[in-house]
Amino acid sequence: MITKSLYQEVILDHNRKPRNYGKLDKASHHAVGHNPLCGDHLDIDLNLEGEHIEGIAFHGESCAICKASASMMTTVVKGKSLADAEMLIKEFRDMATGTLDLAHPHHLGRLTVFAGVRDLPTRVKCAILPWHTLHAALNSVSTTSTEAEGDPMHAPIGDA
């Protein structure tokens, strides 16, 4: 089990030194994501070559959890196939909302450091926003929100 101090350490590290932060020149896919409940706002740029993510970057204004999630997401999905990226998106969302049993096989690896966010309902959507925005970009949807009804990534979580 990942300790709370490791979780905090990873969040702080990726918040201070986010990986793949910035914009891609001539991105083939782009999406803007917004969490209206807390104000997080992210842009995701992708360069796809065939069925693989060859380049990815993000930028925007967000809390430490959102920025750390985006930073780790970009490092994990770079070079992955679209199918693998979509699988990771689903598994991350399920983990963050508490519906993924981490005792069973999954593909999240070090991303499980975010497993504890499920116990912080107001922060779940902060962690999910980058993944939600990646899903939009992969599906050529230009804007998305954590509150978008009818979107399969919409994760109703209590009052959050």
Side-chain angles (χ1 to χ4, degrees), residues 76 117 143 145:
V76 169
V117 79
T143 60
S145 166

Side-chain angles (χ1 to χ4, degrees), residues 64-87:
I65 291 172
C66 185
K67 188 183 282 185
S69 179
S71 177
M72 290 184 74
M73 176 193 74
T74 62
T75 62
V76 169
V77 301
K78 189 185 280 186
K80 295 274 194 253
S81 71
L82 300 180
D84 286 345
E86 288 287 1
M87 176 191 55

Side-chain angles (χ1 to χ4, degrees), residues 6-146:
L6 178 58
Y7 165 78
Q8 291 171 338
E9 196 176 306
V10 169
I11 299 297
L12 292 174
D13 177 52
H14 280 269
N15 183 50
R16 281 191 299 263
K17 298 177 285 187
R19 283 55 155 191
N20 303 302
Y21 189 83
K23 298 179 182 183
L24 290 182
D25 291 333
K26 300 177 185 170
S28 64
H29 291 70
H30 173 84
V32 176
H34 183 239
N35 179 352
L37 297 177
C38 73
D40 289 341
H41 185 273
L42 283 182
D43 285 65
I44 302 280
D45 292 330
L46 299 171
N47 277 329
L48 301 182
E49 283 195 21
E51 292 290 310
H52 286 84
I53 299 171
E54 293 301 317
I56 184 168
F58 78 98
H59 65 279
E61 296 295 323
S62 63
C63 67
I65 291 172
C66 185
K67 188 183 282 185
S69 179
S71 177
M72 290 184 74
M73 176 193 74
T74 62
T75 62
V76 169
V77 301
K78 189 185 280 186
K80 295 274 194 253
S81 71
L82 300 180
D84 286 345
E86 288 287 1
M87 176 191 55
L88 286 165
I89 291 166
K90 181 184 179 332
E91 286 185 356
F92 188 90
R93 178 186 175 275
D94 290 350
M95 176 191 64
T97 58
T99 61
L100 178 71
D101 183 352
L102 292 173
H104 289 93
H106 58 81
H107 304 89
L108 294 172
R110 64 183 180 221
L111 292 167
T112 59
V113 74
F114 284 95
V117 79
R118 70 179 174 266
D119 299 326
L120 305 167
T122 60
R123 307 306 286 188
V124 169
K125 291 183 181 182
C126 299
I128 291 176
L129 179 63
W131 298 87
H132 192 87
T133 309
L134 173 61
H135 177 74
L138 290 173
N139 290 281
S140 300
V141 175
S142 61
T143 60
T144 190
S145 166
T146 55

